[in-house]
Amino acid sequence: MKTLSIRRPDDWHLHLRDGAMLEGVVGDTSRHFGRAIIMPNLVPPVVTTADAASYRDRIRAAMSPGDAFKPLMTLYLTEHTDPADVEAGQRSGLITAVKLYPAGATTNSHGGVRDMEKAMPVLERMADIGLPLCVHGEVTTPEVDIFDREAVFIETVLDPLRRRLPELKVTMEHVTTKEGIDYILSSKKNLAGSITTHHLIINRNAILVGGIRPHYYCLPVAKREHHRLALRAAATSGDARFFLGTDSAPHVDPLKECGCGCAGIYTSINTMSCLAHVFEEENALEKLEAFTSLNGPAWYGLPANEDRITLVRREEPASYPAKIETGAGPVTVFDPMFPLHWAVE
Ligand code: DOR
Ligand code: ZN
């Protein structure tokens, strides 16, 4: 038996949803994680500070009494977002970041930004006040192949934006390509990237070989193997610009297993076990804490969590459910396709 003690991790990109789904999933995150950046793509989205305050209250109400988990709230950027409201949200301590979804890029993103020019007043204010922009880095242009959308976004949207507003802090969320990793590595400041658990484990074959497997479908979609290897190298390097954002995104099974299935993979419950496996495979267990517990808080200007968790590796594989039951319906849990020997004690 091996053990590993690390500072309590945080999740810098999480979908908790609302209502019965929220109640069904929040405990899977709060069991292991101290904080999480909560995505605002509800229906309707979280667009104002008042929306974020009421969503935070619903999250707290869904948590068990005494649970110390802290949701870090974000605003969904629209072409009508009010810079003064964003600044007030940051000053009050409620708002940790603003999220850019290019319109149509993913689940509930139709209200996102079509014309970046219209968002410039808010982005300029954010650069002034040091509030980070979290980006879903994919173009939505129909002509661009889905496997190229991240690379084209960097070239046509992200890089021009960063040249125009070099003081804006940008988190490139769920990086899935070598181009994304190289872009982050090439930048000297104000750019960092989150990486999901599942993109360290699957490539696009998982979705398409031997039958179509909807539970491995997410956005940005998993890419070729050499991209996965670039993500692994970045995550396990210890480089402070890379940290965990699980993008755990629950959908009930009927909405995944159908003619037009939703994008999203549910990993909250087994993320730490999967990550310990990946870091051990890469001979980098000593870098796990930087990725899950140190680099993220440093980037967001927060202290690392004071308390610790212990991961234990046993000979017999750890057991976790294939599905969780929520009040909204069953949600399939990410299957890494290898036995998980590590578990959080
Ligand atoms: O796979 C995804 N699911 N990617 C996203 O960007 C959104 C998320 C969701 O909300 O379901
Ligand atoms: Zn997401």
Side-chain angles (χ1 to χ4, degrees):
M1 194 173 95
K2 264 203 268 189
T3 67
L4 178 68
S5 160
I6 61 171
R7 297 259 195 159
R8 183 175 294 283
D10 301 302
D11 184 351
W12 301 96
H13 180 133
L14 176 67
H15 298 268
L16 281 181
R17 317 299 191 200
D18 215 340
M21 182 63 92
L22 166 62
E23 282 174 23
V25 300
V26 67
D28 284 348
T29 289
S30 71
R31 196 173 306 125
H32 300 159
F33 294 87
R35 296 163 290 195
I37 284 201
I38 309 302
M39 287 298 119
N41 63 332
L42 304 182
V43 189
V46 177
V47 292
T48 64
T49 294
D51 294 341
S54 106
Y55 185 30
R56 182 209 41 205
D57 292 346
R58 299 199 296 282
I59 294 169
R60 285 185 178 157
M63 287 161 43
S64 309
D67 190 334
F69 173 71
K70 183 163 185 215
L72 303 173
M73 307 309 291
T74 58
L75 294 177
Y76 182 110
L77 182 64
T78 74
E79 294 177 0
H80 312 285
T81 300
D82 174 9
D85 183 55
V86 170
E87 182 167 356
Q90 184 206 34
R91 282 190 194 285
S92 73
L94 176 69
I95 301 301
T96 300
V98 173
K99 173 77 189 237
L100 165 68
Y101 285 107
T106 188
T107 312
N108 306 332
S109 65
H110 41 272
V113 175
R114 268 162 234 281
D115 178 359
M116 284 297 285
E117 213 42 56
K118 297 205 171 118
M120 284 316 287
V122 186
L123 297 173
E124 281 162 8
R125 183 74 66 96
M126 289 167 60
D128 287 346
I129 64 179
L131 184 64
L133 178 72
C134 293
V135 301
H136 182 110
E138 289 191 289
V139 292
T140 55
T141 331
E143 298 76 49
V144 178
D145 189 278
I146 191 164
F147 292 100
D148 299 332
R149 288 181 172 195
E150 184 170 294
V152 175
F153 180 88
I154 293 168
E155 214 178 292
T156 63
V157 183
L158 185 55
D159 194 57
L161 173 65
R162 294 187 57 248
R163 283 173 196 277
R164 193 162 158 188
L165 280 181
E167 294 311 316
L168 182 66
K169 271 184 91 153
V170 178
T171 312
M172 231 191 116
E173 300 205 280
H174 41 51
V175 182
T176 60
T177 58
K178 179 164 188 322
E179 287 88 339
I181 297 294
D182 288 346
Y183 183 64
I184 293 167
L185 289 173
S186 74
S187 119
K188 290 189 187 54
K189 66 169 204 172
N190 289 340
L191 183 65
S194 69
I195 300 176
T196 76
T197 309
H198 47 279
H199 288 113
L200 293 172
I201 295 174
I202 60 166
N203 62 30
R204 64 194 200 175
N205 283 5
I207 313 163
L208 296 169
V209 171
I212 189 154
R213 298 176 198 278
H215 295 293
Y216 293 117
Y217 173 60
C218 65
L219 288 170
V221 71
K223 309 292 192 300
R224 287 178 181 272
E225 178 65 359
H226 77 269
H227 296 292
R228 184 184 75 102
L229 297 178
L231 299 176
R232 278 202 171 213
T236 59
S237 67
D239 188 315
R241 290 169 288 189
F242 299 104
F243 45 81
L244 175 65
T246 65
D247 199 10
S248 184
H251 293 278
V252 293
D253 285 349
L255 294 180
K256 295 281 298 172
E257 301 165 359
C258 59
C260 182
C262 293
I265 299 180
Y266 187 65
T267 57
S268 294
I269 200 168
N270 59 5
T271 273
M272 292 309 297
S273 301
C274 289
L275 290 174
H277 181 105
V278 166
F279 278 66
E280 184 175 51
E281 251 176 17
E282 300 291 329
N283 285 317
L285 269 176
E286 78 286 357
K287 301 281 171 52
L288 180 64
E289 183 179 45
F291 183 67
T292 62
S293 319
L294 303 177
N295 296 348
W299 168 250
Y300 283 101
L302 298 167
N305 291 313
E306 283 299 326
D307 61 333
R308 306 178 75 82
I309 62 165
T310 301
L311 286 142
V312 181
R313 189 191 198 289
R314 293 199 170 78
E315 274 315 306
E316 69 283 9
S319 69
Y320 60 92
K323 281 180 200 301
I324 59 160
E325 292 300 332
T326 75
V331 174
T332 292
V333 171
F334 175 61
D335 173 5
M337 298 177 279
F338 46 72
L340 289 172
H341 290 273
W342 287 93
V344 180
E345 198 161 59

